[in-house]
Amino acid sequence: MNREIKFASTVEKYMRMNGLTMKELGEKVGRGESTVSMWIANKSTPPMGIVQKLADLFGVTTDIMIYGDDSSDIALTDHERKHLEIYRLLDDKGQHTVDTVTQMEYERVKKDNK
């Protein structure tokens, strides 16, 4: 599966969401403002170690840093992402079963928390 790399727009999005300037972001990951500017302009990309630092800083996966998050502003944990991947591999009957059990558990927890 070929996915479009969206690193530049993802960095810019999370900077904006966290109220960070290029200088502030650079300081947090040990890079200069001009380097961050190059990332946002899509003229360079950082090594994976820096991508990991950015992901940790923003509370997302490196996958989201590189490919973006088209599912709105909800960040999934690796565990949640794995469940979603498995769910998508199920046939209609399997997905219906998971949906039913999930709904039952949601109702149980909601009732217990009253």
Side-chain angles (χ1 to χ4, degrees), residues 36-49:
V36 175
S37 175
M38 295 290 277
W39 299 341
I40 292 171
N42 212 18
K43 295 188 186 251
S44 71
T45 54
M48 278 307 294

Side-chain angles (χ1 to χ4, degrees), residues 12-63:
E12 192 170 24
K13 170 187 171 180
Y14 284 104
M15 278 178 51
R16 198 173 46 251
M17 285 174 60
N18 289 275
L20 295 172
T21 65
M22 288 186 274
K23 182 178 181 183
E24 291 167 334
L25 180 62
E27 289 170 355
K28 290 185 180 293
V29 296
R31 294 296 187 264
E33 180 179 1
S34 62
T35 301
V36 175
S37 175
M38 295 290 277
W39 299 341
I40 292 171
N42 212 18
K43 295 188 186 251
S44 71
T45 54
M48 278 307 294
I50 298 297
V51 173
Q52 183 65 61
K53 282 184 180 182
L54 290 165
D56 292 344
L57 175 68
F58 296 132
V60 298
T61 64
T62 54
D63 235 29

